[in-house]
Amino acid sequence: MTLTTDLPVGPAERRSAELEEQLALDPGRFRVLTGDRPTGALHLGHYFGTLHNRVRLQDLGVDVFVLIADYQVLTDRDVAERLDEYVEGLLLDYLAIGIDPARTTVFNHSAVPALNQLLLPFLSLVSVAELGRNPTVKDEIAHSRQSAVSGLMYTYPVHQAADILFCKGNLVPVGQDQLPHLEITRTVARRFNDRYGDVFPEPDALLSAAPLLLGTDATKMSKSRGNSIALGADADETARLIRGATTDADRHITYDPESRPGVSSLVLLAALCLGRDPYEVAEEIGNSGAAGLKRTVTEAVNAAMAPIRARRAEYAKDMGHVRDVLRAGNERANAVAEATLREVREAMGMFR
C-alpha cells in the first residue's frame, strides 16, 4: 500500500529514492545495519515501521546485520532488567516475521568486543560540542529515566557509529528523527579516512516511508507506555486492547490524522493489515461508529498476524535452536569486527 503525500521532498528524500532504485538493480553491493534495544516486547508499530522492511531488504539480496543493542539499554536506565527474557523475545519475533539466519546476521553488543573497542578511536574524532548539539541526544536526555545523564547516553551517537561501521555498513534504514545520529556516523567515517586513510564507507540513510501508528491511547506507540499491541499478543488480548483504544464522539468514521488522531490511527492499522488505502477503509466503515471501526481493526490485525503468531509458537518450542541463531550470528559478527579492528589498528599505526 502506498500513501501519497504533499510534503516537500528534500535532499535526504531524493537520495533515499535513488538508493531504492540502486537496491533494485544491485542489492549485493549494500550492507545494512539496523537493530533494536531489548527493553520490552516488539509491537505492531515496530512491525510496520521497520521489521517488515528488514525482511524486504533481506529478500532482495542485501547483506543485513540486525543488532540486539543490549549495552544501549543502559543509556537511559540504571540497570538492564529482564534482559535475557527480552533478548529471547526479540529473537522469536525476528524469526516469526521471516528473518532468515542464513541470510541475515543477528547478534548482540555484549558478545562482540572488537565492535565496542572501536568506540575509543571514534570518540577522538568528534568534539564534546558536536555531541552536545545533536538534537536526538538532547531529546533522549530530556526523556531519560536517569536522574543524571550518563556518559553512555552522551556518547550514544558515537557508539552507534561503531555499530554501523564495524561491518562497514553503507546503508541504514532510519526515520527523519534519526538523521542527526547518522550524520555523526558519516562524520566519524570521513574524519577517520582523512586522518588515517580510506577504511570506512560514509553510510547513506534509507528513509522509512512507513506512516506513524499511534498507541491505543492515541499517543506515540511505545514499549514503555503500555499502549502497544505486541507481536506476541494472542487474538483475545489483541481484541481486548483494541476495544479499549481511544476514539472520539463522532460516529461517522473518516481518515483525518490531524483532526482525528485516535480514529485515524486505527483506520491506518486496519489498512496496513489489509494492504489497502486508509481512506477507502474509512469510507467502508462509514457510520458504523467506534464499535464498527474496532471490529474491522480486530479482524484485520488478527488475520494478518495469525501466521506470524503460529511461527512464533513453533519456534518457542525449541529455544535451544533460537539461542543457536544468536550464537551463530555472534560468531560471524565477531569475525567481521575483529577484521575491521585489525584494519583500524594498522591504519592508525598501532603497535602489534
Side-chain angles (χ1 to χ4, degrees):
M1 182 190 69
T2 302
L3 296 178
T4 58
T5 177
D6 295 324
L7 293 173
V9 177
E13 290 84 355
R14 285 193 292 272
R15 177 58 177 156
S16 189
E18 293 172 0
L19 290 164
E20 285 288 0
E21 294 176 0
Q22 294 173 25
L23 277 165
L25 293 172
D26 187 13
R29 65 177 282 255
F30 293 98
R31 177 172 280 180
V32 161
L33 186 286
T34 183
D36 305 283
R37 292 198 309 163
T39 55
L42 294 179
H43 51 64
L44 293 180
H46 294 122
Y47 178 73
F48 289 111
T50 61
L51 298 177
H52 78 295
N53 191 44
R54 297 175 191 176
V55 177
R56 178 183 76 92
L57 293 169
Q58 166 194 274
D59 292 347
L60 278 174
V62 176
D63 189 11
V64 179
F65 280 68
V66 177
L67 165 66
I68 298 177
D70 49 359
Y71 274 156
Q72 287 177 0
V73 171
L74 299 172
T75 54
D76 60 352
R77 296 159 195 253
D78 294 326
V79 294
E81 295 177 326
R82 300 169 64 185
L83 195 56
D84 287 349
E85 173 190 340
Y86 290 149
V87 168
E88 290 183 351
L90 290 183
L91 290 167
L92 285 171
D93 287 336
Y94 292 159
L95 294 171
I97 65 166
I99 292 294
D100 180 0
R103 294 180 290 165
T104 292
T105 302
V106 181
F107 68 103
N108 61 304
H109 257 157
S110 59
V112 189
L115 181 162
N116 296 291
Q117 194 171 336
L118 289 173
L119 180 61
L120 296 176
F122 285 0
L123 281 171
S124 73
L125 299 169
V126 294
S127 69
V128 171
E130 285 173 318
L131 292 175
R133 287 195 299 267
N134 186 295
T136 313
V137 169
K138 288 181 179 179
D139 182 67
E140 287 168 349
I141 288 173
H143 293 90
S144 173
R145 296 182 176 192
Q146 294 174 311
S147 58
V149 177
S150 72
L152 184 58
M153 169 69 85
Y154 205 71
T155 60
Y156 173 58
V158 185
H159 200 183
Q160 194 171 66
D163 298 338
I164 296 166
L165 296 178
F166 97 94
C167 64
K168 299 190 179 181
N170 56 7
L171 194 62
V172 185
V174 293
Q176 285 278 356
D177 62 331
Q178 288 292 308
L179 286 175
H181 270 344
L182 186 59
E183 192 53 41
I184 288 284
T185 300
R186 290 173 57 84
T187 297
V188 167
R190 185 169 56 253
R191 288 177 182 170
F192 188 96
N193 294 342
D194 288 346
R195 191 171 298 181
Y196 301 112
D198 289 341
V199 172
F200 296 110
E202 290 185 37
D204 278 304
L206 187 67
L207 288 177
S208 171
L212 177 66
L213 275 176
L214 299 179
T216 53
D217 59 356
T219 68
K220 180 180 178 181
M221 190 177 290
S222 169
K223 290 182 280 191
S224 62
R225 295 185 183 184
N227 65 355
S228 60
I229 301 170
L231 288 182
D234 62 24
D236 290 340
E237 183 181 1
T238 297
R240 177 183 64 78
L241 291 168
I242 292 172
R243 278 197 304 271
T246 298
T247 53
D248 58 35
D250 188 345
R251 183 171 179 78
H252 184 70
I253 301 303
T254 59
Y255 183 65
D256 184 356
E258 189 169 328
S259 301
R260 306 183 71 185
V263 166
S264 297
S265 187
L266 287 172
V267 171
L268 178 58
L269 177 54
L272 289 168
C273 289
L274 295 168
R276 298 182 57 196
D277 184 89
Y279 292 98
E280 293 178 0
V281 173
E283 187 175 0
E284 283 189 7
I285 298 169
N287 289 316
S288 297
L293 169 62
K294 292 177 179 181
R295 183 167 57 250
T296 298
V297 176
T298 299
E299 291 172 356
V301 171
N302 281 335
M305 293 296 111
I308 293 175
R309 291 167 179 162
R311 288 193 295 269
R312 196 180 196 279
E314 280 301 307
Y315 282 116
K317 293 177 181 177
D318 186 359
M319 291 307 297
H321 167 70
V322 172
R323 296 183 191 101
D324 285 343
V325 166
L326 185 59
R327 276 191 283 269
N330 285 338
E331 286 181 11
R332 185 188 179 208
N334 267 296
V336 170
E338 288 164 6
T340 300
L341 183 59
R342 283 196 299 271
E343 194 173 353
V344 164
R345 288 168 58 86
E346 289 170 3
M348 297 178 69
M350 294 288 183
F351 179 77
R352 297 186 65 187

